[in-house]
Amino acid sequence: MGLVSYSRKEGRALGEVTKFLVYNARKRQVGGDTADQYFARTECVAGVQDMRFQELMPDVLHWLGVKKIHRLVSMSNMKYDAITGQGIEVGERVDIPESLIPADARVEMDAKKAAGYFTPGTVPDADALKQTKGRGL
């Protein structure tokens, strides 16, 4: 038996319109869409890097009676910290398999890994982030 819990927080809770404005700014910036500018471009457009408030996210898990998550598929340390901080045990953390990450998502994934998101793999350094580029307009 399994459970999938999805919290609708599109574009780091900035909303769909802001998310598209950020994508547009990333594609149009000097040098193109690069992992080293991923969070800076969001902050430039939205004023913040992330608006999610994860502390209340585990409430639905408590309501469903969840005491332990055997396999948590999430790179977000904010989610993990909120879940374990409310006493729910996490057995194994699983990152998104590389084979499931499309080339266009590489900018976002590398930026998040470098910012401290969960990864059992290699964390890109500053030079690697500059090399990670998305497709142009």
Side-chain angles (χ1 to χ4, degrees):
M1 185 169 130
L3 170 72
V4 174
S5 174
Y6 175 75
S7 300
R8 188 175 180 272
K9 297 177 181 171
E10 186 66 40
R12 286 173 270 148
L14 299 170
E16 290 85 352
V17 173
T18 303
K19 179 179 178 177
F20 287 116
L21 290 172
V22 170
Y23 283 161
N24 190 21
R26 284 174 39 201
K27 298 290 183 190
R28 295 177 186 276
Q29 69 189 344
V30 175
D33 186 17
T34 59
D36 68 323
Q37 292 297 310
Y38 177 79
F39 287 107
R41 210 47 44 224
T42 303
E43 196 167 356
C44 179
V45 172
V48 294
Q49 290 183 3
D50 197 321
M51 285 294 294
R52 291 175 289 188
F53 184 73
Q54 299 291 8
E55 284 76 7
L56 301 177
M57 180 269 303
D59 287 355
V60 70
L61 300 175
H62 285 298
W63 182 76
L64 292 168
V66 173
K67 305 271 187 238
K68 179 177 182 176
I69 298 172
H70 295 276
R71 296 185 79 212
L72 176 65
V73 182
S74 175
M75 292 177 65
S76 172
N77 287 334
M78 290 187 296
K79 287 179 191 167
Y80 176 81
D81 292 345
I83 290 168
T84 58
Q86 288 198 24
I88 298 173
E89 181 184 347
V90 173
E92 175 187 13
R93 287 185 77 180
V94 180
D95 66 331
I96 300 169
E98 289 292 323
S99 62
L100 296 179
I101 300 170
D104 275 359
R106 187 86 273 145
V107 167
E108 178 179 356
M109 297 304 286
D110 285 358
K112 287 182 174 181
K113 288 177 182 180
Y117 282 56
F118 172 74
T119 180
T122 305
V123 175
D125 63 14
D127 289 332
L129 291 178
K130 290 177 184 172
Q131 301 303 314
T132 304
K133 292 190 179 261
R135 64 183 166 150
L137 290 171

